[in-house]
Amino acid sequence: MSEKIRKSDAEWRALLSPEVYRVTREKGTEAAFSGCFYACKTPGEYHCACCDAPLFRSGEKFDSGSGWPSFWQPVNDAAVSTLSDTSHGMRRTEVLCARCDAHLGHVFDDGPPPSGLRYCINSLALTLKESG
Ligand SMILES: [Zn+2]
């Protein structure tokens, strides 16, 4: 497990584009079907847009029809952390990058087997490292 990355809001703001900052540091959500990865089938590994930690793989990505990139499991259990989120009058589970606490999206329990989980992630929180 790599070391935790901590930066001030001002440091993140200087590093990230305004859109990425809004989603990852202010817990924003990109509009459905607006992101660059929801329909992406390119083989590779998805990394954190803030700290470049590996988070998800194309092999565990599936087409959920939601308009956001969806995965049934993270690259490993230590890669992401979760938090209970009761904002917007909903009871949801927030998914964060375990290394830098970037807001990634939410996890729901209506995913496909074998995990039954659906990690619903903002494209803006991810960068794709194409394999090969
Ligand atoms: Zn991160």
Side-chain angles (χ1 to χ4, degrees):
M1 182 66 200
S2 40
E3 233 169 273
K4 199 95 175 163
I5 293 181
R6 289 178 209 281
K7 292 185 198 294
S8 70
D9 285 346
E11 286 174 301
W12 283 123
R13 205 182 279 274
L15 272 176
L16 305 171
S17 73
E19 298 78 34
V20 173
Y21 180 86
R22 188 182 65 80
V23 166
T24 58
R25 312 316 311 185
E26 299 185 317
K27 304 187 190 302
T29 301
E30 70 195 15
F33 303 102
S34 74
C36 49
F37 293 135
Y38 73 88
C40 178
K41 297 205 186 335
T42 308
E45 198 170 52
Y46 290 87
H47 288 216
C48 176
C50 293
C51 75
D52 206 33
L55 298 175
F56 296 98
R57 282 181 296 234
S58 56
E60 285 106 27
K61 191 173 186 292
F62 68 99
D63 185 4
S64 67
S66 67
W68 290 281
S70 302
F71 305 86
W72 52 266
Q73 71 173 18
V75 67
N76 62 62
D77 286 342
V80 299
S81 57
T82 55
L83 259 184
S84 170
D85 174 10
T86 54
S87 64
H88 306 291
M90 289 180 275
R91 188 171 294 277
R92 296 181 295 175
T93 303
E94 182 187 357
V95 181
L96 305 113
C97 171
R99 179 146 73 167
C100 75
D101 290 334
H103 171 80
L104 305 174
H106 291 88
V107 59
F108 302 93
D109 59 6
D110 58 4
S115 70
L117 296 174
R118 171 169 62 95
Y119 287 82
C120 183
I121 305 299
N122 290 285
S123 296
L124 285 169
L126 301 172
T127 58
L128 175 60
K129 312 283 179 203
E130 294 185 25
S131 52

